[in-house]
Amino acid sequence: MAEDKKTFTPGVLIQTFVFIILFPFLPILITWNWSWLEAWLYALLAIFGFIISRILAAKRHSDLLAERAKFAKHADAKSWDKVLARLVVLGGAFLPLVAALDVRNGWSDFQFSWAWKSVAFIIMLLGYAIGTWALMENRFFSGVVRIQKDRGHHVVDGGPYRWVRHPGYVGGLLAAFGTPILLDSLWTFGVVAVYTAILVLRTSLEDRTLQAELEGYADYAQRTRYRLLPGIW
């Protein structure tokens, strides 16, 4: 318990507020359009998706939130991931930021139909559901890539890990791909493209690390052949 109190410092709480509460509301705050329904849907999905996933994960693995709160402070985190993990967080923050600036300044001047937006919202819901499932299933779902010897790290192959080796990233990508459509921002597709490239690179490096350093992972990779897309990659 004392360790948990040290982990959830004021700095961690402030960062959580900024990235989890403030950033999802950027489309509303920057445009100052408080009647923008799609922006409300985006913000509420992001906030409650995060809160619900953490509550469910904490019920399954009481030490997981403390592990994730330490983020890049782990001494044994891979040096390359100390950069990529931060880029992933920033990429997630840039999605609502660019969408908000796009709509406010009329860069795209385009609106998707509600049929498209409904599909996008369902895809985003699916992304959060998959991400939550992966978080609940995997006690070692850390915020950085490291071999967690201090936590008895071992291969997890249940739940969504039966179909792809990195389902958490799949969930994040689905949520990201729905964002430009829901918020009527063609420019945000550019952020999604960069975000996807970063996640694909991180997935590749993480998978290579796990196969080399985590006992049993190479065999798991033979059983579950695909990293992100079943039947493709």
Side-chain angles (χ1 to χ4, degrees):
M1 184 64 70
E3 179 63 26
D4 288 351
K5 290 180 178 179
K6 291 180 181 179
T7 299
F8 295 101
T9 62
V12 170
L13 296 176
I14 291 172
Q15 290 179 29
T16 301
F17 172 79
V18 170
F19 285 99
I20 307 305
I21 305 297
L22 181 62
F23 271 86
F25 275 109
L26 283 181
I28 293 174
L29 294 173
I30 290 178
T31 62
W32 209 246
N33 181 2
W34 293 88
S35 62
W36 187 4
L37 176 59
E38 298 93 317
W40 277 102
L41 290 174
Y42 173 83
L44 294 177
L45 177 59
I47 293 169
F48 282 102
F50 177 88
I51 293 173
I52 292 172
S53 70
R54 270 52 184 182
I55 291 174
L56 293 176
K59 286 184 177 180
R60 290 284 297 273
H61 310 294
S62 59
D63 59 342
L64 180 55
L65 298 191
E67 163 67 25
R68 292 186 61 81
K70 294 176 183 177
F71 195 53
K73 294 181 180 179
H74 290 288
D76 58 349
K78 299 302 177 182
S79 57
W80 48 264
D81 199 49
K82 291 181 179 179
V83 176
L84 290 181
R86 289 185 172 93
L87 289 178
V88 170
V89 173
L90 288 175
F94 266 87
L95 288 168
L97 175 62
V98 172
L101 293 174
D102 184 359
V103 172
R104 189 188 70 176
N105 298 318
W107 296 337
S108 295
D109 194 22
F110 182 86
Q111 282 194 330
F112 288 92
S113 68
W114 268 105
W116 276 101
K117 292 178 183 180
S118 298
V119 171
F121 188 73
I122 292 171
I123 289 173
M124 294 173 73
L125 274 174
L126 180 61
Y128 277 100
I130 293 174
T132 299
W133 191 13
L135 195 65
M136 292 173 62
E137 195 70 30
N138 187 359
R139 176 174 174 260
F140 309 105
F141 199 131
S142 181
V144 290
V145 176
R146 74 185 190 95
I147 304 301
Q148 302 167 47
K149 297 178 181 178
D150 54 315
R151 304 179 67 234
H153 199 170
H154 59 78
V155 173
V156 173
D157 58 3
Y161 292 89
R162 288 175 289 180
W163 296 290
V164 291
R165 302 201 295 271
H166 302 276
Y169 294 157
V170 175
L173 287 172
L174 288 175
F177 272 96
T179 299
I181 299 174
L182 184 64
L183 297 180
D184 292 319
S185 173
L186 298 180
W187 279 72
T188 306
F189 279 114
V191 181
V192 172
V194 175
Y195 183 72
T196 300
I198 293 170
L199 277 186
V200 168
L201 174 60
R202 191 185 190 203
T203 301
S204 180
L205 293 173
E206 179 176 349
D207 206 77
R208 188 182 307 171
T209 298
L210 292 172
Q211 291 201 46
E213 301 182 26
L214 182 61
E215 182 179 356
Y217 192 89
D219 292 335
Y220 164 64
Q222 291 296 316
R223 299 193 307 272
T224 303
R225 296 176 55 194
Y226 302 104
R227 299 175 186 173
L228 293 177
L229 299 175
I232 300 177
W233 187 74

